[in-house]
Amino acid sequence: MKTTAVLFATALAFAPAAMAQDLPDLGGKEIVVVTENAYPPLQFLDASGAAIGWEYDAMAELAKRLNFTVTYENISWDAMIPAVSEGQFDLGMTGITIRDDRKEKVDFSDSYMTSEMVMLVRGDETRFADKAGFAADADLLMAAQPGTTPFYVGVYEVLDGDEANPRIKLFETFGATVEALKAGDVDLVLTDGTAGAGYVEASAGGLKIVGEKLGTEDFGFIFPKGSDLVAPMNAGIAALKADGTIEALNKKWFLDYKMGQ
């Protein structure tokens, strides 16, 4: 891994101009990016209140290579897709799963990350060890943000397909679902494997992952329908994949970064 990092740093030191020549030039255009700052390690606020994360680093690299400037705005998850759809912002980022129903409202970039969904529980959980065990115990509760992929997977793959099932407790942010789990208010949170692993490592045994993987999800940036930014961003994402930048970001945020430190 150290060799990869060194090669990556060397490539960045000598190749930016050459890479820029092969990518669209947006001429310093200002792009207003909206995010939630509530989905570590993709984007979140650290202990000092600074907004950091995988997506911030990726967007900074895209801005440099495509020659645009970024202005960040903040919004809740449930308002993000409608706001971007209405053109209030140029781009949305918060680990948004690429889904056909969402494509009716917004355009997506190509996928910049693929993740498997996992079951996050308290470290001392013994009442269930998989989705069937959870579903079979009517006293067990799940936390989710409404309209998210974990919500729909919980409804249709873990429970009974009833979106109004009272066993699903709704929260505004992903962080709030994890806090409810830690406090014992709910018994299960579904999340992508990368975020889940980060929470487990930072929990000192307070959290663990159980059961089988519940499928995969691809993350993409969202844009108003017909946006002329989609093609340049896709070219930029392809460049980040090709030269190892995304691999380096994955190492930084999913392996090296320690939540809460």
Side-chain angles (χ1 to χ4, degrees):
M1 299 302 288
K2 290 183 179 179
T3 301
T4 300
V6 170
L7 291 175
F8 168 63
T10 303
L12 288 187
F14 293 100
M19 290 187 293
Q21 292 173 1
D22 297 328
L23 292 173
D25 187 336
L26 297 182
K29 176 183 177 68
E30 180 188 21
I31 295 178
V32 181
V33 176
V34 66
T35 188
E36 186 187 16
N37 284 336
Y39 195 17
L42 295 186
Q43 27 68 31
F44 61 104
L45 301 180
D46 68 10
S48 71
I52 62 172
W54 192 104
E55 288 180 327
Y56 278 108
D57 283 1
M59 191 58 61
E61 193 64 35
L62 288 168
K64 179 172 67 175
R65 299 189 189 199
L66 298 174
N67 187 21
F68 64 86
T69 60
V70 184
T71 297
Y72 285 107
E73 300 287 348
N74 189 246
I75 200 171
S76 65
W77 158 252
D78 58 351
M80 182 176 293
I81 292 178
V84 172
S85 176
E86 293 166 5
Q88 296 180 32
F89 308 101
D90 299 313
L91 185 157
M93 67 176 200
T94 183
I96 305 171
T97 303
I98 300 172
R99 292 167 49 108
D100 288 341
D101 58 334
R102 292 172 180 167
K103 289 180 180 179
E104 297 175 2
K105 301 174 183 177
V106 293
D107 284 341
F108 275 92
S109 71
D110 291 338
S111 171
Y112 57 80
M113 183 182 298
T114 299
S115 181
E116 294 177 308
M117 188 160 294
V118 297
M119 300 174 64
L120 186 66
V121 302
R122 287 184 296 280
D124 60 357
E125 181 60 72
T126 59
R127 294 167 296 173
F128 66 98
D130 55 25
K131 65 179 183 179
F134 176 87
D137 188 338
D139 292 330
L140 299 176
L141 303 176
M142 175 190 308
Q145 292 173 270
T148 61
T149 298
F151 171 81
Y152 290 116
V153 170
V155 169
Y156 293 103
E157 294 191 29
V158 178
L159 295 175
D160 58 2
D162 178 7
E163 294 186 13
N165 191 316
R167 292 180 62 185
I168 302 180
K169 302 303 179 183
L170 302 179
F171 295 82
E172 289 189 5
T173 68
F174 176 73
T177 68
V178 177
E179 290 306 312
L181 176 63
K182 291 179 179 178
D185 297 329
V186 299
D187 307 294
L188 170 65
V189 169
L190 299 182
T191 182
D192 68 275
T194 49
Y199 271 102
V200 169
E201 185 172 353
S203 72
L207 298 171
K208 65 181 179 181
I209 292 170
V210 300
E212 69 277 20
K213 301 291 193 302
L214 299 178
T216 61
E217 53 184 343
D218 290 309
F219 295 156
F221 303 125
I222 60 171
F223 309 82
K225 296 289 288 184
S227 171
D228 58 6
L229 294 176
V230 176
M233 286 293 181
N234 284 345
I237 291 169
L240 298 190
K241 290 179 178 178
D243 69 10
T245 301
I246 283 182
E247 180 183 354
L249 290 180
N250 289 343
K251 179 180 183 299
K252 173 182 177 180
W253 289 105
F254 298 132
L255 297 178
D256 296 341
Y257 185 82
K258 306 302 180 186
M259 293 294 300
Q261 297 182 7

